[in-house]
Amino acid sequence: MSHRKVEASRGIEWIRSAAELLLKNPAPFAMMGLILAVIGYVPLLGGLVLLVLGPTLYGGLVFAAARQERGEPIEVGNLFEAFRQEGKVGRMVMLCLPNVALLLIVVVLAVVALVGFGLAAAVATAANSGEVPSMQALLGSVGVGGLMMFALILIPLALAVAALLFLSVSRVMLQDVEPIAAMKQSFKACLDNFGAFLIAVISLGVLRLLIMMLIGSVSGVLGALVMGVVVEPLLATTGYKAFRDLYGSAAELESESGKDSAGSMSAEL
């Protein structure tokens, strides 16, 4: 499906219209976000669950946003809508692949940086004092230069992952597009509208940072919960609004078709 090109300022409009949509019926969206936050706060297991099922659950938020926009009732259970539709979970889970790949790259880069800089520090320390440096010293040896190099590599990779998922969650959830095709098309659409995409991503990132600075400094748990209640629904709904804006009336027709088929299946159940 072809996408349209829009001016950079549309990135702010996507966020504004997403917030407006959420505020029309905030309670169920807040509860869905809270569930995501609680899952993510479970040590180790929660992070793994969100890594694999995050796009699937975001798809539930997108489904709820589409129903809200059409004036239809929504419920907290919409978060798990993909599990209700036959064959949908498998497609949505495929969207976790970019995040898994990014995590693996982060781990590899961290190991390479630690080994490379740490080995140099160990050699220098051993030559000067004859002692083996501690782990704290090895971590400190990475230094500002190593962290900057790390950031210069990861920031473009993180943006690429965001571009792959920004529109594809809505397309797979609402239009049943094949996941790989949806990610490729999302990436291309974000590149063609890079200004709007970048403004939206940076604005949401700044919001996340502000919440952590203002609330997370008081209580890490409270910061995580507020993040879930506010940022996660806004992030998913912003992607949905961008999808509607960039794909236009064709998206409306296909999402309506998806709605009808989902409604028919629910009736059969």
Side-chain angles (χ1 to χ4, degrees):
M1 178 188 293
S2 61
H3 56 269
R4 63 168 62 107
K5 295 183 180 182
V6 298
E7 60 275 13
S9 60
R10 295 298 296 173
I12 294 297
E13 177 59 25
W14 296 339
I15 297 175
R16 187 204 64 77
S17 59
E20 186 179 80
L21 180 66
L22 294 174
L23 289 174
K24 289 180 179 178
N25 191 9
F29 286 107
M31 286 301 300
M32 286 186 271
L34 184 60
I35 291 172
L36 287 175
V38 171
I39 292 173
Y41 208 75
V42 176
L44 296 179
L45 182 60
L48 181 61
V49 169
L50 288 184
L51 178 65
V52 176
L53 294 180
T56 306
L57 299 175
Y58 269 63
L61 284 165
V62 165
F63 180 84
R67 288 182 63 86
Q68 176 66 33
E69 190 169 56
R70 293 193 298 263
E72 299 175 5
I74 62 174
E75 57 184 26
V76 177
N78 289 148
L79 182 66
F80 307 102
E81 179 62 29
F83 296 92
R84 300 173 178 173
Q85 298 185 24
E86 184 177 356
K88 184 70 74 175
V89 172
R91 292 176 180 240
M92 296 300 296
V93 167
M94 286 285 289
L95 296 178
C96 81
L97 294 179
N99 282 325
V100 172
L102 180 61
L103 177 61
L104 292 176
I105 292 172
V106 169
V107 171
V108 170
L109 288 176
V111 170
V112 169
L114 182 60
V115 171
F117 286 94
L119 183 60
V123 171
T125 302
N128 293 330
S129 64
E131 298 179 356
V132 177
S134 65
M135 179 57 69
Q136 183 177 1
L138 290 178
L139 291 173
S141 68
V142 175
V144 176
L147 293 176
M148 289 182 63
M149 187 186 309
F150 202 64
L152 287 175
I153 295 173
L154 284 185
I155 289 174
L157 288 176
L159 284 174
V161 169
L164 286 168
L165 299 177
F166 192 57
L167 303 170
S168 58
V169 171
S170 295
R171 299 206 64 208
V172 176
M173 187 68 206
L174 300 179
Q175 300 179 312
D176 209 25
V177 178
E178 288 294 333
I180 300 301
M183 286 189 284
K184 289 179 179 178
Q185 293 163 11
S186 175
F187 188 80
K188 186 177 187 308
C190 288
L191 282 184
D192 289 343
N193 295 279
F194 188 70
F197 165 71
L198 188 62
I199 287 175
V201 169
I202 290 177
S203 299
L204 291 168
V206 169
L207 175 61
R208 184 187 293 269
L209 180 62
L210 288 175
I211 290 176
M212 290 308 298
M213 289 176 60
L214 296 175
I215 302 176
S217 59
V218 177
S219 169
V221 176
L222 182 59
L225 295 180
V226 174
M227 192 80 70
V229 169
V230 176
V231 177
E232 305 307 336
L234 184 61
L235 180 59
T237 308
T238 298
Y240 168 71
K241 283 294 188 177
F243 154 75
R244 289 295 300 269
D245 190 25
L246 296 182
Y247 288 100
S249 58
E252 295 178 22
L253 292 174
E254 292 191 30
S255 64
E256 286 293 330
S257 175
K259 175 204 69 170
D260 292 340
S261 62
S264 299
M265 184 174 63
S266 299
E268 292 174 1
L269 295 175

